[in-house]
Amino acid sequence: IDDVHGWDFYNNDNSTYDASDGDAHGTHVSGTIGGKGKNAKGVAGVNWNVSIIPAKFLGPNGGYTSGAVSALYYLIDLKSRHALNLVATSNSWGGGGYTQTLLDAINAAGNAGMLFVAAAGNASSNIDSRPSYPASYVCSTSWGDCVISVAAISSSGGLASFSNYGASSVDLG
């Protein structure tokens, strides 16, 4: 009833933008995805006709895997019980090791028809040999792997010097 603007699993409320939490990164990524063009703002996203539902679980000191899991199940519920057309989650975060609980949530989202788009990471590391989560998860659904791992690129189109990479683990940049 009170989550018409998404949900903040870090603070457990419906205020998904909290300047004191350092929300600049998620807001920036959302703008890259869906910022409207031709509006004299000087920047545009890649899709001008998209709706974004925030499911925040990070705060000024990081967050917990349990928050990420809760956020995914929240989005699955919105898709299945409320018939929202959710096609993907944007996961521009990293850290922590492998957890079966998060993989189970990613698989559940995949089985609901949602892609899990994850940042490859920022450690200049080959994640084929040294996995980085959540980018290194392999989702197993009836239709295949639902995880898309994305490397950062430089302004010239090459791999950014800080970006993780991997011929098998990273899907695009």
Side-chain angles (χ1 to χ4, degrees):
I1 198 164
D2 58 353
D3 68 345
V4 296
H5 300 290
W7 197 257
D8 178 345
F9 293 90
Y10 185 83
N11 294 305
N12 196 32
D13 61 26
N14 67 350
S15 175
T16 57
Y17 180 78
D18 301 296
S20 63
D21 283 356
D23 284 346
H25 184 74
T27 302
H28 170 80
V29 171
S30 295
T32 300
I33 294 167
K36 301 280 185 207
K38 295 187 179 182
N39 60 7
K41 299 287 184 188
V43 65
V46 296
N47 186 341
W48 298 357
N49 188 26
V50 65
S51 295
I52 295 173
I53 300 171
K56 172 184 171 178
F57 73 95
L58 297 173
N61 299 310
Y64 298 96
T65 302
S66 59
V69 169
S70 294
L72 281 171
Y73 282 114
Y74 164 75
L75 295 169
I76 293 165
D77 177 68
L78 289 177
K79 181 175 178 85
S80 62
R81 199 161 56 96
H82 301 287
L84 293 181
N85 183 24
L86 301 177
V87 298
T89 61
S90 175
N91 302 280
S92 184
W93 53 275
Y98 174 94
T99 64
Q100 187 63 48
T101 306
L102 182 55
L103 180 56
D104 291 346
I106 293 169
N107 283 330
N111 285 325
M114 295 189 316
L115 295 170
F116 184 92
V117 182
N122 298 333
S124 304
S125 181
N126 182 343
I127 64 173
D128 286 348
S129 57
R130 188 170 163 212
S132 175
Y133 296 98
S136 294
Y137 284 114
V138 177
C139 174
S140 51
T141 67
S142 60
W143 53 273
D145 185 8
C146 67
V147 176
I148 297 176
S149 176
V150 183
I153 59 172
S154 68
S155 59
S156 62
L159 184 70
S161 62
F162 59 85
S163 184
N164 288 349
Y165 57 93
S168 298
S169 301
V170 178
D171 299 299
L172 59 103

